[in-house]
Amino acid sequence: QVHLVESGGGLVQAGDSLTLSCAFSGPAEDIYYVGWFRQAPGEEREFAAAINRPNGSTYYSRTVRDRFTISRDNAKDIVYLQMENLNPGDTAVYLCAAGDKDTYRRSASAYKNWGQGTQVTVSS
């Protein structure tokens, strides 16, 4: 069974940076892709970034690219989301998710396992 735990959220001011962590465990075949999604109150869950864990390929939404960077550590048990130049529009619960090799990496509905999320609040 795959388990994921997000951490690193908090309250920051516009223009600040913040790095989130997603610690995971479980069968490697079920953690082929790790994605970061975010969901604001009353909004649909939105794709932010994803990484192919075996080869390190990265994918970003147009909204966050050039500001957010997704990466993984050498042990392949943590995925990070580095967020730069945050603005109030980035305020949301951020969740990480794991999917197998058939997962469409940009689709929330395709991921099989999710963490509980970590709150990011950006004040103006």
Side-chain angles (χ1 to χ4, degrees), residues 60-118:
Y60 298 94
S61 72
R62 292 181 63 188
T63 303
V64 310
R65 77 183 307 269
D66 298 327
R67 295 193 300 121
F68 291 12
T69 302
I70 189 169
S71 63
R72 75 220 201 280
D73 71 358
N74 290 335
K76 302 181 180 180
D77 60 356
I78 301 176
V79 169
Y80 302 97
L81 185 68
Q82 181 182 351
M83 305 182 293
E84 306 282 346
N85 194 25
L86 289 163
N87 62 69
D90 297 316
T91 295
V93 173
Y94 283 71
L95 307 99
C96 64
D100 62 23
K101 64 181 176 62
D102 296 320
T103 299
Y104 179 61
R105 53 193 175 260
R106 295 176 180 266
S107 176
S109 64
Y111 286 80
K112 299 177 181 178
N113 298 279
W114 293 83
Q116 290 297 114
T118 185

Side-chain angles (χ1 to χ4, degrees), residues 6-12 18-21 83 92 94 117-121:
E6 303 93 338
S7 62
L11 175 63
V12 298
L18 197 64
T19 298
L20 307 180
S21 298
M83 305 182 293
Y94 283 71
T118 185
Q119 177 71 44
V120 173
T121 302

